[in-house]
Each structure stands twice: as C-alpha cells, then as structure tokens.
Amino acid sequence: MHTDLYKVNLRSLSEGDHELHWVLGDDYFQHLGAEDFTSGEVYVDVYIHHIGGVFSLELEYDGYVGTTCDRCLDPLELDVYTERELVVKFGDEHREESEKLLIIPEQDGVLDLTWTMYEDIVLSLPMQRMHEEGECNEDMMRAYSKVAADEPQPQQQEIVRDEDGIDERWAALKQLKQE
C-alpha cells in the first residue's frame, strides 16, 4: 500500500470545492497493523470546501470490516456507516484543538488522513462485537454454557460474633484498642 495515497496537499488546493474517493481494503488494514480487523472494504468520500485559510472537510464512510465475534470467536462482518466533519487550518505546529478542529503546519501544508480514517471507523463500531442472538457458533456456545454453569458460586461465610456482638475477625483489633 502506498501511504502517500491518503495525504492531501492542502497548499496546492485552489479555493472552492474538491472531492476525493478511496476504497479502504484489506491491504489498508494490514498495513496499519489493525489486529482487530481481518478484512474490510470501506468506501470513503471526502468533500473539501476551501475558502481563505480554512478547509472544511466532510468524510463519509460506507462498507464493512471483518473481525471476530467476542462471544464465539467466529468471523464476523460489521457494517460501517458514519460521517465526520473536520475543519483544518494552518498554524505553526501540528495541534488537535478539538475533535473537529485540526491545526497543521503551514510550511508542510499536507494533511495525512490515514489514521483519521482508521479512528473514525473504529469509533463507529460497537464496543461488543458479536453476532446477532442465535447466530453464534453452536459448538462454541455449548462449550461456553457448560463452563459457565460449572463455575463455583461464592459461598456466604457465617459471621461469628463475640459477646459484644462484634465480628470475631476484628477481635485482634479490639484487643489492640484495649491495650
């Protein structure tokens, strides 16, 4: 994968509207070392509106990523559909002012969207990545339910109290207090 593919030279953009379109495939996720994803195909549309020294970007994502189910560990495809707005301005150094405002060095003038797109995809996915109820690997679910049922339940320990009604486990502290 050519990493410069997702870099946008903002200094060379004329004022007005611009569009970029990419397909993030398996090679993109593998290049980033994205261990969470085994595959993917996400279409990304980037719309840039440039006026003065301000670049308003709208990023739209549509596709899927392949991962593993947190419950049964079988392969799972998750839909990706999200949008993000980002404003980019020139400044002295690279700074993220907020999740919507990014400052990049004017001397460089290049915006690298490689990690931004990856983060947007990750944040669009649910925390628990699981098949719909009843769609998990039946063998794995049977094995899991057997192990889950065999787990020992914590037993309530009977509390023994002394003549003052104090828990005997604290008797040593009571003795220290009296001394």
Side-chain angles (χ1 to χ4, degrees), residues 20-89:
L20 301 168
H21 307 280
W22 295 305
V23 178
L24 308 178
D26 297 349
D27 58 336
Y28 170 80
F29 296 105
Q30 290 168 358
H31 174 76
L32 291 178
E35 297 174 6
D36 289 351
F37 305 123
T38 55
S39 61
E41 184 173 279
V42 180
Y43 294 86
V44 182
D45 297 318
V46 182
Y47 303 99
I48 304 171
H49 180 71
H50 175 205
I51 187 161
V54 178
F55 301 86
S56 298
L57 284 75
E58 184 176 328
L59 294 93
E60 296 179 358
Y61 304 84
D62 189 11
Y64 74 91
V65 291
T67 187
T68 54
C69 175
D70 290 340
R71 189 175 14 211
C72 72
L73 304 178
D74 270 6
L76 169 69
E77 284 188 359
L78 294 172
D79 291 333
V80 173
Y81 180 77
T82 190
E83 297 177 348
R84 177 179 184 184
E85 292 179 10
L86 181 65
V87 174
V88 180
K89 297 180 179 181

Side-chain angles (χ1 to χ4, degrees), residues 96-116:
E96 214 172 302
E97 293 288 318
S98 70
E99 67 181 45
K100 290 188 175 188
L101 177 60
L102 181 66
I103 309 295
I104 63 170
E106 187 169 7
Q107 63 199 24
D108 185 20
V110 175
L111 174 63
D112 188 351
L113 291 172
T114 307
W115 276 104
T116 301

Side-chain angles (χ1 to χ4, degrees), residues 6 15 18 24 57 75 98 102 110 131 141-142:
Y6 309 113
E15 289 209 6
H18 305 272
L24 308 178
L57 284 75
S98 70
L102 181 66
V110 175
H131 290 106
M141 295 312 296
R142 274 192 296 276

